Amino acid sequence: MKFRIVAGCAALGFALAASAQNLVITNARIIDGTGNVIERGSVTVKDGKLISVGAGGAAGSAGTRIDAHGMTVMAGFIDAHRHLIRGDADAWLKDHAGDNMKSFVNAGFTTVFSMGDDPKGILELRRRLKTGELAGPTLYATRVIPLSGPMPRPAAAPRGPFTDLARTDPARPPDRPETAPPAIPDEESRAAVRAAKQEGFDAIKTFMLATPGGPEGHTLSVIVDEAHRQGLRVFTHATAVQDALAAVNAHVDVLAHTAHIGRLEEDESARRTLLDSHVPMVSTLAVFIPHFDDQNRPLFRDGGPFPMPRPLSSGGQGPVNARILWEGGMAYAYGTDTQWDPRASLADELRALNLVFSPRDIIKILGPNTAAAINKSGELGTLEPGKNADIVLIDGDPLQDVFNLTCVVLVVKDGKVMVDHRGKHRAATD
Ligand SMILES: [Zn+2]
């Protein structure tokens, strides 16, 4: 199997956002995200919404006609776990926000959920995107709220030669704290949630690290209760299975990572609890497992060092746990937890997902499951009449080679053509 080199289809440049158009995309392979594939069909768009998705040429439909030349259309991509702002927020907004936002749309991402950024900066970025000052994806912002006072840090355990971040994750023994941190009064936690609502945040983010007899589970349940009263949902970071259990027991809405510390194949009760909670889980597999080269070869093979002295390279249990939960029916969703280029980040996450998921699975993860995780199933994630006209055109068939998802050549957001590089790509089937 030949894998496409990501750089080979990187589309550069950016078409400025036009006003909402009535569009007819014809001659397309349509992967609608619900499981249907239409080999030659059309998608029609009116007033920023999808009007029809079906076989044939949509004869008689009004609007600008876009010939897909047999390329694939899918719903715009969603990253449910990103970090955006680097360094000083004002400087980043001034110098980097514009290019950064374009890089998301160029890669096909029409919706991005920030899982923790400078609070003022991320709200300002969202404002600029909403008003059209900046062209880019729809952005949602979370406010981080603590579950306890400062966590006692045990003396660093002796380490081998590879001190990557996944090994020094405080959720991983022997670094896991064995004494409880101070509690935060309930009213303080509730006030923090109400303040986040007042400031205009879309959701709450918390970090679960459950200590013996500690306050984290109780505090999280208080935050969830107040958040739900305020109409906010709660995303929780949990990298160990026991922390994911503490989070679902506090009735959080989304697990922001795949729990990769702890083996679900050896823990039927944990598996059952996670599945019975019906809490969706966001992938973020690639930041925790060894990277691969652009031919998808593991870098530690063929003379490379093993284990690999790269950051976050010891979380290989993540894909196994993900597959176990998938088999049990978990609504598994897409997110990267990265700060690097969105297209490269997509390729990295696909390499990790590709270890345990078929292209068909990955399309479901990327589309409807991620829309559901961010509570936007009514608007996003599939190509169905009535949903937002967030559409990507892909050179190649991702069901044949999932890495074709990195070959986005045209992007429509809310009915506006934001990127159009069809001219630079050979028609797939003409
Ligand atoms: Zn994160």
Side-chain angles (χ1 to χ4, degrees):
M1 188 171 187
K2 187 173 144 290
F3 289 95
R4 190 184 286 267
I5 297 169
V6 174
C9 61
L12 300 171
F14 194 68
L16 275 182
S19 53
Q21 292 159 290
N22 294 339
L23 300 174
V24 187
I25 302 174
T26 61
N27 202 15
R29 177 190 300 107
I30 301 169
I31 301 178
D32 72 2
T34 72
N36 297 323
V37 179
I38 299 165
E39 275 305 329
R40 283 285 161 131
S42 307
V43 175
T44 60
V45 171
K46 195 178 173 207
D47 301 327
K49 299 284 179 196
L50 293 163
I51 298 299
S52 71
V53 179
S61 302
T64 306
R65 294 183 93 81
I66 293 175
D67 189 338
H69 297 293
M71 291 188 278
T72 304
V73 296
M74 285 176 52
F77 305 154
I78 306 163
D79 191 330
H81 189 145
R82 269 299 290 213
H83 300 280
L84 297 158
I85 299 172
R86 285 167 178 270
D88 177 72
D90 290 335
W92 185 87
L93 282 163
K94 183 169 156 288
D95 300 332
H96 302 294
D99 286 346
N100 188 262
M101 291 300 101
K102 286 175 191 173
S103 71
F104 279 97
V105 183
N106 267 321
F109 288 89
T110 48
T111 304
V112 173
F113 226 108
S114 154
M115 273 298 130
D117 274 290
D118 176 83
K120 270 179 65 187
I122 199 71
L123 292 177
E124 172 60 17
L125 179 63
R126 194 188 61 181
R127 186 195 68 74
R128 292 185 192 181
L129 290 163
K130 261 188 189 163
T131 59
E133 255 171 79
L134 281 182
T138 300
L139 177 65
Y140 294 101
T142 52
R143 176 62 133 146
V144 175
I145 297 182
L147 297 183
S148 72
M151 193 64 79
R153 273 288 202 149
R159 298 185 198 293
F162 303 112
T163 53
D164 67 72
L165 290 174
R167 282 153 215 255
T168 60
D169 185 332
R172 183 186 293 277
D175 290 332
R176 248 189 115 81
E178 281 163 3
T179 51
I184 293 172
D186 289 0
E187 192 42 46
E188 207 176 294
S189 296
R190 289 187 186 277
V193 174
R194 290 193 295 266
K197 171 73 177 180
Q198 283 253 296
E199 292 168 298
F201 282 94
D202 300 296
I204 304 299
K205 164 89 180 284
T206 62
F207 289 83
M208 173 52 77
L209 180 50
T211 58
E216 304 84 12
H218 168 77
T219 306
L220 182 53
S221 65
V222 169
I223 288 171
V224 169
D225 178 66
E226 188 64 35
H228 290 177
R229 282 170 202 264
Q230 302 296 329
L232 298 176
R233 299 168 81 245
V234 179
F235 291 71
T236 296
H237 163 112
T239 52
V241 168
Q242 69 189 94
D243 297 323
L245 292 172
V248 302
N249 287 335
H251 305 291
V252 297
D253 298 289
V254 183
L255 292 164
H257 292 287
T258 300
H260 62 265
I261 300 166
R263 309 180 74 94
L264 286 177
E265 78 274 21
E266 293 171 358
D267 194 343
E268 168 61 17
S269 134
R271 189 182 77 88
R272 209 56 268 164
T273 301
L274 291 173
L275 291 173
D276 288 349
S277 75
H278 299 289
V279 176
M281 182 180 272
V282 177
S283 59
T284 73
L285 291 174
V287 291
F288 294 114
I289 66 167
H291 288 231
F292 302 88
D293 71 9
D294 60 14
Q295 298 298 309
N296 227 28
R297 288 178 299 231
L299 288 172
F300 49 74
R301 214 182 60 187
D302 304 331
F306 181 83
M308 200 174 64
R310 286 275 296 269
L312 300 166
S313 64
S314 62
Q317 183 67 22
V320 178
N321 285 349
R323 185 70 208 186
I324 288 169
L325 293 169
W326 174 271
E327 300 287 347
M330 174 171 272
Y332 195 67
Y334 178 91
T336 61
D337 193 21
T338 56
Q339 270 198 326
W340 59 84
D341 173 72
R343 191 188 304 268
S345 178
L346 171 62
D348 288 337
E349 195 67 19
L350 289 175
R351 289 178 183 117
L353 290 167
N354 186 54
L355 292 168
V356 288
F357 294 110
S358 69
R360 189 169 290 275
D361 297 342
I362 291 172
I363 285 166
K364 186 177 177 195
I365 289 167
L366 193 59
N369 283 14
T370 307
I374 65 165
N375 204 25
K376 299 288 174 193
S377 290
E379 301 160 37
L380 307 176
T382 61
L383 297 177
E384 293 177 279
K387 290 202 177 184
N388 291 5
D390 291 357
I391 304 165
V392 293
L393 181 63
I394 294 158
D395 186 5
D397 182 355
L399 287 169
Q400 297 299 317
D401 178 351
V402 79
F403 294 93
N404 284 329
L405 290 169
T406 63
C407 298
V408 168
V409 298
L410 180 137
V411 180
V412 175
K413 180 171 173 289
D414 296 319
K416 298 168 198 150
V417 177
M418 297 188 74
V419 174
D420 186 356
H421 298 301
R422 278 173 301 157
K424 295 180 191 152
H425 285 258
R426 208 178 49 241
T429 56
D430 282 9

